[in-house]
Amino acid sequence: MTSTPQKIRSGAAFPFDNSYVGLPKHFFAPQSPTPVSEPWLIKLNEPLAAELGLDVEALRRDGAAIFSGNLIPEGAEPLAMAYAGHQFGGFSPQLGDGRAILLGEVIDRSGKRFDIQLKGAGPTPFSRRGDGRAAIGPVLREYIISEAMFALGIPATRALAAVTTGEPVYREEVLPGAVFTRVAASHIRVGTFQYFAARGDTEGVRSLADYVIDRHYPALREADNPYLALFEAVSERQAALIARWLHVGFIHGVMNTDNMTVSGETIDFGPCAFMDAYDPATVFSSIDQHGRYAYANQPGIGQWNLARLGETLLPLIDGEPDSAVDKANGVIRAYGERFQAHWLAGMRKKIGLTGDEDGDLELVQALLSLMQAQNADFTLTFRRLSDLAGDEAAEPAFAASFREAEASRAWLTQWRERLSRDPQTTSARATAMRSVNPAFIPRNHRVEQAIEAAVENGDFSLFEALLTVLARPYENQPDFAGYGEPPKPHERVLATFCGT
């Protein structure tokens, strides 16, 4: 094994167009990946590679070496990004990419810019005594969940590739090592702004804000107050994103400020999971001992994180401190209304409504309360309601979602009465509901089964099958019907782990 990665002349494979490296040098640390002994390509996301304008044939040939960090493509400028963050409410002034290395940026076929980053590629100056590596389980989990989120239509980072390293990593036990290649609109986080603000580096915050505006919100250049407009735009995207999480029962698990992007993408799929039985207090993360990031707490945590972003922008928003605080607080207050509007609009669609009536919120809340009291599966209940919207014969299946079959009758009476005032045809309503109520999500037990097979037996067939199913979450797939079922009692997954 070589001690430093080899460089290859592969301009066709990765047409890099790097911009972050042009920011001031204290924004990052130049860092090459650490080579591994026996890389093997588990999975290459060929459709995504093609969308990014990459040379798929070259990646099939050299992918194991490139995505493990053994070979550095021509044009790459590897670096580890600096950032800070609040972790479970406690502030760490320096975190940074401790096991991730940004290879560079590419422009996709539609003209959009994307980062290409290796996770688990070895130590960096920000590793804080860590080994900079990743085990195969977290790599497969991130691949599965990120691609599932994409298929569900939720903004998220993407999976380009996964490789094994041929080397062990040492956690609570010895595990096979792996490297994950992540694609993101950018990796700039709330914590990136906090890094410079914590150092009193107002010009650093300004440079970063200008970069974010140019990269993600170019229309804001002409705003009367571009930095206040940036804060409003990020707030809007986060409100919409977290509402989408709740619509599919997703629980991020670690909503630290260093895990919230300013682009509005879901990032860092560590101890994340999807709810089975509906309970707003659901927590899966093994490190979230007090439920800070429980399912129902996510909107409020989003607002808390945005307040931390607002604090970093105050000197840019207004030179007069009190005025800056007033303007930022206005954005924070508006976030609640933004979130509620996005959430209720999505829930209306989930129960088949196109118009707005004053009682719709109460109708939605009544269903959720019933589901919680009756231990109903979140995903299955809404999918069966979609079927019932198109065919009254589906009522017994919907009723079977509840512990007591009669429990849903009163709510169904209210629902049908409300539908009588909605202009959609029965067929159109059922089709629309199936387009927002997935039949398939990454069930926790299925994800764990795929990981266990890979770790214990080197068997990736369950991983591949799961990816196949999750690529079409809104379609009925009779051959994979079992993947839509909730876990049996002995299959339930009660805790997930971050994998660092």
Side-chain angles (χ1 to χ4, degrees), residues 174-462:
V174 181
L175 297 166
V179 180
F180 177 73
T181 303
R182 178 163 68 186
V183 174
S186 81
H187 287 84
I188 302 170
R189 310 149 190 269
V190 171
T192 317
F193 282 85
Q194 289 181 292
Y195 180 85
F196 301 104
R199 288 157 177 77
D201 185 0
T202 301
E203 287 311 305
V205 174
R206 188 185 305 276
S207 295
L208 183 63
D210 289 342
Y211 178 84
V212 169
I213 290 171
D214 288 342
R215 181 162 178 174
H216 295 299
Y217 304 95
L220 302 185
R221 296 190 197 107
E222 306 305 319
D224 292 339
N225 188 331
Y227 304 115
L228 180 62
L230 172 62
F231 189 29
E232 291 172 336
V234 174
S235 178
E236 165 64 21
R237 287 196 186 179
Q238 287 298 330
L241 176 66
I242 296 171
R244 295 295 305 275
W245 290 358
L246 268 60
H247 293 152
V248 295
F250 177 73
I251 303 168
H252 185 280
V254 278
M255 288 182 66
N256 299 330
T257 58
D258 56 295
N259 293 336
M260 176 183 275
T261 65
V262 295
S263 65
E265 289 184 307
T266 316
I267 194 171
D268 289 329
F269 298 99
C272 62
F274 286 73
M275 275 196 307
D276 293 310
Y278 176 72
D279 182 350
T282 300
V283 174
F284 286 98
S285 170
S286 63
I287 56 177
D288 192 0
Q289 299 295 322
H290 303 290
R292 177 181 174 88
Y293 300 143
Y295 171 80
N297 289 347
Q298 294 178 120
I301 290 296
Q303 186 177 45
W304 192 92
N305 288 350
L306 286 165
R308 307 289 77 76
L309 174 63
E311 289 167 353
T312 73
L313 295 173
L314 290 176
L316 309 186
I317 289 173
D318 197 308
E320 202 285 305
D322 289 343
S323 178
V325 169
D326 286 344
K327 291 174 181 176
N329 279 339
V331 176
I332 293 300
R333 286 192 296 269
Y335 165 88
E337 296 178 2
R338 294 176 193 269
F339 169 79
Q340 184 67 7
H342 285 296
W343 180 81
L344 183 55
M347 294 305 294
R348 281 193 174 104
K349 291 178 181 178
K350 286 179 74 68
I351 64 171
L353 304 178
T354 56
D356 301 352
E357 288 190 8
D358 288 343
D360 291 347
L361 175 60
E362 290 73 19
L363 184 64
V364 168
Q365 289 175 329
L367 176 58
L368 293 175
S369 296
L370 178 64
M371 290 167 62
Q372 182 180 2
Q374 291 287 315
N375 201 39
D377 183 81
F378 184 85
T379 302
L380 200 54
T381 299
F382 282 105
R383 186 67 178 189
R384 287 173 173 174
L385 186 65
S386 306
D387 294 337
L388 177 54
D391 184 359
E392 288 293 325
E395 183 170 343
F398 176 76
S401 302
F402 303 91
R403 193 163 41 210
E404 300 167 335
E406 300 295 312
S408 64
R409 282 196 173 182
W411 184 83
L412 285 175
T413 298
Q414 298 175 45
W415 176 63
R416 287 173 172 132
E417 193 273 333
R418 174 66 180 86
L419 292 187
S420 69
R421 298 189 298 278
D422 191 89
Q424 289 184 101
T425 65
T426 297
S427 175
R429 179 178 295 115
T431 298
M433 290 175 69
R434 291 191 187 102
S435 73
V436 296
N437 291 318
F440 301 97
I441 57 168
R443 295 276 183 183
N444 308 317
H445 66 296
R446 292 288 185 177
V447 174
E448 291 301 323
Q449 289 167 4
I451 291 172
E452 183 178 354
V455 172
E456 299 297 329
N457 304 311
D459 177 3
F460 295 92
S461 61
L462 296 182

Side-chain angles (χ1 to χ4, degrees), residues 10 31 47 72 76 121 127 153 172 231 234 241 261 299 339 376 442 495-496:
S10 181
Q31 179 65 56
I72 304 298
S127 293
E172 289 82 3
F231 189 29
V234 174
L241 176 66
T261 65
F339 169 79
T496 52

